[in-house]
Amino acid sequence: MSLNAYFQDEAPPAQGGLQSLRLSVMVWHLCWSGYTLLGLLGLLFLPASLFVIGAMVAITVPGAACVMLLSRDSQVMRQGLMWLWAGCAFIAVALTGGIAGPLAAWCALPLLAAVVLNQRTLITLGASLAFGVTLFAIMISMWHGIRLPDDQEGFWLSVIANVSMVAGLGLAVLPALRMRSERAIDAEDARARLLNMLTEQPGLLICVDGDGRVVSAYGEAPAGLDLKALLQLGLSASAHVPDRIVVKAAIEQAIMEGRADIGFTPYAAMDHYVLLSLRRGQDNRLYGVMNDGSLSHAHEASLEAARVEAESLNQGKTQFLASMSHELRTPLNAVIGFSDIMRMQLFGEMPPKYAEYAQLIWESGQHVLDMINDVLDMSKIEAQKYELTLEGFDMREPVSAALRLIRGQAHEKAIDIISHMPQMPVMVTADKRAIKQICLNLLSNAVKFTPQGGHVTLTLSPTEAGVDILIADTGIGIAPDDLSRIGQPYEQSGTPEQRAMGTGLGLSIVKSMAHLLGGTMTLSSQLGEGTTVRVSLPVVKPEEQPELPMPVPVQPEPAGVVQSLEAFVRAAQNATLSHNPLEDIHHTPEGLSSFSDFVIRPPKS
C-alpha cells in the first residue's frame, strides 16, 4: 500500500458500524473523564498544589467535550476535538514542570485520541500535535519557570499518567481492531463470492502472456478442449494443427491492436468449435474468454452453404434469362403479330368463332409478354442491361421518394439527413425509376458507412448542362489506392469488417445507370473523414432536349480537390466526434492475486 493511500480516509462503515464506533468513542471519553476526576479527588487529600489541581481539571475537559459529537459528528468536529486534546494536554504537562514532570507521558494524548477516533487522517494530525506538545514541554522544562511537584505529588501523578495511558491505549485499540477484523471478514466474503462467480460462469476466462502460455484460468472448459495441451503447451497448442497459425496470428493482433476475435477447431476434436475473444490489459497481458461455439458454427456453415447455393442459383437464373430474352420474345412476338392479323381480318373474313379465338390468342400473348418484360427488366438490372423508360417529370419527385425510404434507416443510427433542393420544379426527361435507384443506392451507402451521430447531405442543383446530384457523408472514407477501382462490380475497399457491410454492387449500379442516362459519376473521399459522390446528368426540359446524349466515361476527381459542401461536412464531423465509442474501458479488480491460478471445471453436458 502506498503512503498516500495509507493516509487517505477510509470508506465510512455501514450504518450499524457507524453507531457502534460512535458509542465506543463516547464510552472511552467518559471513562477518561471519570478516571481523571477520581484522580483529582484523591489528590485533594494530600493536599495538592494549585498547579496540580489545575492540571487535573484541564485534562478532564476534552473527555467531557466529546458530548458535542452527539449533536454533530463530522470531520471538522473531530479535528476540533483533537486540537482541544492537544491544548489541554499542553496545559497539564506545563503546570507540572514540562517534559521533566510526572505528567510528561500525556504529551502523546493527541495521538491516543486519534487512535480512539479510528481515522487515518486524524492519526496524522494527532502525531503532529503530539510532537508539537512535546516540543513546548521541553521548552517549559528548560525555562524553569514552573517548579516540579514534590516527591509525593510526583509519585501519584506518575501513577495516574502511566495507568491512564496504558489502559486508554488498550481500550482504544480494541474497537479499531474489531472494525478492521469485520472489514477483513467482509473482504474475504466478497473475494469468495467473486471467485465463485468466476468459476461458475459458463465460459473459460484465461490470462495469457505474450508467448501464448496460460497464466491463469477460471470457469467452465468448452467441450472438446484439450486442457492438458492448453495448460502445458499454450493456447496455440490447444487448437487443431491447421488452425494454430490463426491462433498465433490472433495473439499477435491482440498484442498490437488490443483485441482479437477468432474461432478454431480444438485439437483431436474435429466435431467441436471454440470461440476465442482476446483483449490486451493494462499490464500488457492478454485476457480472453473461450466458449463452446459448435452449434453456432454449424449453423453459420449451413447458412453460408445455403447462401452460396442461392447465389449460384440466382446467377444461373440471371444468365439464363439474359440469354433467353431473344429466344423468348421472338416467337412470342410472332404469335402476337399473326394473331393480330387474324383478329383484324386483314386477309379476309373468317368465321366468328375463329375471330374470337384469334382475339383470345392476342390478349393472352400480350399478357405473357408483359410478364416476361417485367422479369427481364429485373434480370437486366442485375446484369447491368437495364433499358430506360424516358418521360418528363419533376426531378424532385424521385429524389424525395428515395429520401423518404432511407430516413428510417438513418434514424435508427442517429444520423442526420440534410437535403437541399430547389423550391421551383426541375423538369427533366429521364427514367424516373433509374433516378430513384441512383439516389437510393448512394444514400444507403452513405448511411451504412457513416458512424452513429454522423451527417449525410443531399444537394440537388440544376446546371447549364443538366442536373447535379451531390451526396456527402461523414463516414469512414475510402483510401486513395482504392478510388481507381471503386465503381467496378464486386469491388470494395477498407478492412475485411468494412467490406462485410456490403456486396460492392451499389456504386457499380449507380455508375451504369448514370452512363445509360448519358451522365458521369465522380467520387472524392478522404480516409476517416467522409466521401462525396457527384452524379451529373445532362437531362433538361423535354422541349429543349428530347433525346439523351451518348454516355460519357466516368472521370474521378483529382486528388486533393475538396468541394465547398464537402469541406462543410468534414468540419461538422470534426466538431461532433469528441470521443471514440469503441474505446475500451479498462478496469482490473483488486485482490485477485491471492486466488488460485487455475480453477477449471469440466463442461456440463
Side-chain angles (χ1 to χ4, degrees):
M1 180 181 297
S2 64
L3 186 62
N4 291 333
Y6 180 81
F7 288 114
Q8 290 177 355
D9 279 337
E10 297 177 351
Q15 185 65 26
L18 182 61
Q19 296 294 340
S20 177
L21 177 60
R22 184 183 299 172
L23 179 62
S24 64
V25 171
M26 298 293 299
V27 170
W28 188 91
H29 280 76
L30 293 177
C31 289
W32 177 271
S33 296
Y35 175 77
T36 54
L37 286 175
L38 289 177
L40 175 61
L41 292 177
L43 291 173
L44 292 177
F45 291 101
L46 290 179
S49 64
L50 293 178
F51 289 101
V52 173
I53 294 175
M56 295 302 296
V57 171
I59 206 63
T60 306
V61 172
C66 73
V67 296
M68 64 182 181
L69 297 179
L70 293 176
S71 60
R72 182 183 178 186
D73 188 3
S74 63
Q75 187 73 8
V76 176
M77 296 295 290
R78 294 194 175 207
Q79 289 179 357
L81 184 61
M82 293 291 300
W83 282 95
L84 182 61
W85 271 105
C88 293
F90 171 70
I91 293 173
V93 174
L95 292 177
T96 55
I99 197 66
L103 298 182
W106 281 354
C107 291
L109 276 179
L111 180 59
L112 178 60
V115 174
V116 174
L117 295 175
N118 197 19
Q119 286 183 316
R120 289 173 182 169
T121 52
L122 294 182
I123 290 176
T124 305
L125 177 61
S128 302
L129 293 176
F131 183 73
V133 171
T134 303
L135 290 180
F136 282 110
I138 294 174
M139 295 173 62
I140 293 295
S141 297
M142 295 175 63
W143 176 44
H144 298 291
I146 300 178
R147 70 173 182 86
L148 294 173
D150 57 22
D151 293 340
Q152 188 178 11
E153 289 178 337
F155 172 76
W156 288 110
L157 287 176
S158 298
V159 171
I160 293 174
N162 291 310
V163 170
S164 65
M165 291 297 294
V166 173
L169 181 61
L171 294 176
V173 169
L174 288 178
L177 292 179
R178 181 176 60 83
M179 292 296 298
R180 279 162 174 75
S181 64
E182 291 177 356
R183 294 176 183 176
I185 293 174
D186 293 340
E188 288 294 331
D189 293 340
R191 188 169 64 92
R193 290 193 300 269
L194 178 60
L195 180 60
N196 184 65
M197 181 173 61
L198 290 177
T199 55
E200 292 299 329
Q201 50 87 29
L204 181 61
L205 302 177
I206 59 174
C207 176
V208 185
D209 59 14
D211 297 329
R213 295 188 177 274
V214 179
V215 178
S216 59
Y218 303 93
E220 179 180 340
L225 185 66
D226 190 349
L227 292 179
K228 182 178 180 181
L230 175 67
L231 301 180
Q232 295 182 358
L233 302 179
L235 187 59
S236 60
S238 64
H240 191 52
V241 176
D243 293 341
R244 292 180 180 178
I245 298 178
V246 178
V247 176
K248 291 181 180 179
I251 295 175
E252 295 177 357
Q253 179 184 356
I255 293 175
M256 297 297 296
E257 302 179 4
R259 60 175 59 202
D261 299 280
I262 61 166
F264 64 90
T265 302
Y267 179 72
M270 300 295 293
D271 56 338
H272 290 87
Y273 195 77
V274 176
L275 300 177
L276 172 63
S277 180
L278 292 174
R279 298 294 183 270
R280 186 184 65 227
Q282 294 180 347
D283 55 356
N284 290 327
R285 284 185 174 181
L286 300 181
Y287 297 89
V289 57
M290 305 176 72
N291 292 300
D292 185 8
S294 303
L295 295 178
S296 61
H297 180 67
H299 183 62
E300 290 176 0
S302 62
L303 290 179
E304 180 65 19
R307 184 187 66 82
V308 172
E309 182 180 1
E311 289 182 352
S312 177
L313 293 175
N314 183 66
Q315 184 66 22
K317 179 264 298 180
T318 301
Q319 294 178 356
F320 171 78
L321 292 177
S323 61
M324 293 297 293
S325 60
H326 178 72
E327 286 77 2
L328 288 174
R329 286 185 174 182
T330 300
L332 189 57
N333 285 330
V335 171
I336 294 175
F338 291 140
S339 62
D340 190 31
I341 293 174
M342 295 173 63
R343 73 182 183 87
M344 295 179 65
Q345 301 183 13
L346 295 179
F347 297 102
E349 295 184 0
M350 63 176 60
K353 201 65 175 177
Y354 288 159
E356 181 184 356
Y357 291 163
Q359 180 69 25
L360 293 175
I361 294 172
W362 183 82
E363 292 178 355
S364 300
Q366 286 289 352
H367 179 69
V368 174
L369 182 60
D370 291 339
M371 293 179 59
I372 292 176
N373 286 334
D374 292 339
V375 174
L376 290 177
D377 286 342
M378 184 174 295
S379 66
K380 285 182 179 181
I381 291 176
E382 297 176 355
Q384 302 181 20
K385 297 181 180 179
Y386 184 79
E387 293 183 359
L388 298 176
T389 302
L390 302 180
E391 57 180 321
F393 58 91
D394 185 1
M395 187 72 167
R396 299 177 301 173
E397 295 180 5
V399 175
S400 300
L403 284 171
R404 288 193 298 269
L405 291 176
I406 207 65
R407 284 192 185 277
Q409 181 181 350
H411 179 71
E412 294 178 357
K413 294 184 64 177
I415 295 175
D416 292 335
I417 301 293
I418 304 171
S419 59
H420 302 283
M421 289 189 290
Q423 296 182 356
M424 301 299 295
V426 181
M427 301 305 299
V428 298
T429 298
D431 189 314
K432 184 181 293 187
R433 288 187 299 170
I435 298 296
K436 179 180 177 181
Q437 191 69 26
I438 288 174
C439 297
L440 192 60
N441 284 1
L442 293 179
L443 290 171
S444 177
N445 279 347
V447 171
K448 185 185 302 180
F449 295 101
T450 298
Q452 186 175 3
H455 302 275
V456 176
T457 304
L458 184 146
T459 303
L460 177 65
S461 57
T463 62
E464 295 182 358
V467 178
D468 282 357
I469 302 173
L470 187 142
I471 296 178
D473 62 64
T474 59
I476 59 178
I478 303 173
D481 296 336
D482 297 333
L483 282 176
S484 59
R485 58 183 181 85
I486 288 296
Q488 301 297 326
Y490 302 103
E491 287 291 340
Q492 295 175 282
S493 65
T495 63
E497 291 79 6
Q498 295 170 355
R499 296 185 181 187
M501 298 173 64
T503 59
L505 288 176
L507 287 178
S508 63
I509 293 176
V510 172
K511 179 180 177 180
S512 300
M513 290 186 174
H515 283 183
L516 289 175
L517 292 171
T520 60
M521 181 190 76
T522 55
L523 183 68
S524 62
S525 179
Q526 290 290 334
L527 192 62
E529 296 184 7
T531 302
T532 300
V533 182
R534 183 188 300 274
V535 178
S536 300
L537 301 176
V539 288
V540 293
K541 294 182 180 179
E543 62 271 17
E544 296 180 3
Q545 186 174 339
E547 296 183 359
L548 294 175
M550 295 298 293
V552 181
V554 173
Q555 297 293 335
E557 290 186 0
V561 176
V562 182
Q563 305 297 332
S564 59
L565 180 59
E566 183 183 1
F568 171 77
V569 172
R570 291 174 183 170
Q573 179 194 23
N574 293 331
T576 54
L577 293 181
S578 59
H579 68 280
N580 183 6
L582 297 180
E583 182 179 359
D584 285 341
I585 301 177
H586 296 283
H587 175 69
T588 303
E590 299 179 356
L592 293 182
S593 58
S594 59
F595 285 171
S596 286
D597 289 336
F598 299 95
V599 183
I600 306 175
R601 56 187 178 88
K604 296 180 179 179
S605 58

